[in-house]
Amino acid sequence: MPKFLLLILLCVTALYAERDTIYVEQITRDTVYIPIKPKTDTIYVVGDSAPAPTCCKPTEDNPFGLDTTKFLRNDTNYIHHSLYIGADVFSLLNTLLGNVTIVADAELAFSRKNSLMINFQYAKKVPSEDYTENFIKDDYSGNISQFIFGLGYRHYFRPAKTSSMIELGLNAQFRHSDYTYHPRWKQDMVPTVAERNRQGIQPYIHHGFIRRSNYVTCGFEYGFAYNMLSKDGNILKKHVMYLADGLQIDFKLNVSVGLL
């Protein structure tokens, strides 16, 4: 076969030969940006118009700039007055029992943690019908009265609405005794008349818990006082509150009102 015809035959065969198709997959990638929300702290403020607390910034009540957000439920969001006038509700019980007792105080608040206390107390003891006492009506007539005036320093452990406190002070005492002793079982005995005025001092220490609001403050306090007066014999031997000789126990349920 001539070479020319062979070349033509090969070209025709190659033209009609089976061809393979190759598919190339095209991958398209999109870039998606996901914004990350920055971490924020949620601060809860008590009250509709209460300012947000400053954290880590030294203030008068927080000189070291401590984080106080955990105390926001009991924070300093209340009106702080410079003068409070208060009275002891618990002493009214003694008055109802027949012995007039008035316990009052004035608080000059220099800050939310420091105050000067001005104390006032008046107590009057008359012979009782209770035979468990020594100053009984069948043997005595007359009365014993006492007036107390003094100063104290009160320190609140927190500048918050609710706080514990400690108070130290010194009172001046003025006691007047005017009674007659004539025991019923000694009818022929000449009555003994006691009439004297005495003065002394009374140091005291109290601890308690205070709840302060915008205008009214309530508190419970307890403690001890010591009366440095000469003894009244057996008359006040069984007394431990208000009118007492020596060691005295104090309980106060105080309610005060902010004025200035």
Side-chain angles (χ1 to χ4, degrees):
M1 180 181 291
K3 295 181 178 180
F4 177 74
L5 293 176
L6 180 59
L7 180 60
I8 293 175
L9 181 61
L10 291 175
C11 291
V12 173
T13 302
L15 182 64
Y16 288 97
E18 183 178 356
R19 293 181 176 88
D20 294 330
T21 302
I22 300 175
Y23 296 94
V24 178
E25 182 179 358
Q26 183 178 2
I27 301 175
T28 303
R29 291 183 174 88
D30 296 329
T31 302
V32 178
Y33 296 95
I34 302 175
I36 299 177
K37 185 178 180 180
K39 182 179 179 181
T40 58
D41 293 330
T42 302
I43 299 178
Y44 299 94
V45 180
V46 179
D48 297 334
S49 60
T54 55
C55 175
C56 305
K57 180 180 179 181
T59 62
E60 180 182 354
D61 295 323
N62 187 13
F64 299 103
L66 301 178
D67 185 3
T68 59
T69 55
K70 64 180 180 179
F71 297 127
L72 285 180
R73 187 174 57 183
N74 260 340
D75 68 355
T76 57
N77 180 34
Y78 66 93
I79 298 176
H80 177 247
H81 297 272
S82 299
L83 174 63
Y84 294 87
I85 301 296
D88 173 37
V89 179
F90 193 73
S91 63
L92 294 178
L93 177 61
N94 198 47
T95 301
L96 294 176
L97 294 176
N99 300 304
V100 178
T101 307
I102 301 173
V103 178
D105 58 51
E107 179 180 0
L108 300 177
F110 303 121
S111 67
R112 296 177 187 266
K113 296 183 69 175
N114 303 287
S115 297
L116 175 67
M117 305 300 298
I118 302 175
N119 304 312
F120 171 82
Q121 177 180 311
Y122 174 78
K124 184 177 181 180
K125 174 69 176 174
V126 297
S128 173
E129 296 181 353
D130 186 355
Y131 284 89
T132 62
E133 290 195 15
N134 291 330
F135 198 45
I136 60 176
K137 201 168 187 179
D138 289 343
D139 295 339
Y140 291 89
S141 61
N143 63 78
I144 302 174
S145 60
Q146 178 177 269
F147 171 77
I148 285 180
F149 178 82
L151 299 175
Y153 166 73
R154 175 178 291 184
H155 174 74
Y156 296 95
F157 291 98
R158 288 179 53 198
K161 289 182 177 179
T162 302
S163 175
S164 59
M165 67 82 179
I166 189 170
E167 183 177 330
L168 301 171
L170 183 66
N171 296 323
Q173 289 180 287
F174 305 91
R175 184 177 295 178
H176 176 68
S177 299
D178 184 9
Y179 58 85
T180 301
Y181 175 60
H182 191 180
R184 64 189 183 283
W185 47 274
K186 287 187 178 182
Q187 297 297 330
D188 56 345
M189 176 182 174
V190 178
T192 301
V193 179
E195 184 174 359
R196 57 181 179 270
N197 295 310
R198 288 169 295 156
Q199 299 81 34
I201 58 175
Q202 182 195 72
Y204 72 90
I205 178 171
H206 289 174
H207 179 265
F209 300 90
I210 308 296
R211 173 68 179 181
R212 295 177 283 189
S213 62
N214 288 338
Y215 300 102
V216 179
T217 296
C218 298
F220 170 74
E221 58 185 280
Y222 56 90
F224 300 96
Y226 191 81
N227 300 289
M228 296 184 179
L229 288 172
S230 59
K231 306 297 183 181
D232 265 311
N234 292 326
I235 293 181
L236 300 178
K237 184 177 180 179
K238 298 180 181 180
H239 288 256
V240 294
M241 293 184 65
Y242 305 120
L243 272 170
D245 285 332
L247 186 65
Q248 176 178 308
I249 299 176
D250 292 335
F251 288 101
K252 292 177 66 177
L253 181 60
N254 211 59
V255 177
S256 58
V257 178
L259 299 180
L260 301 177

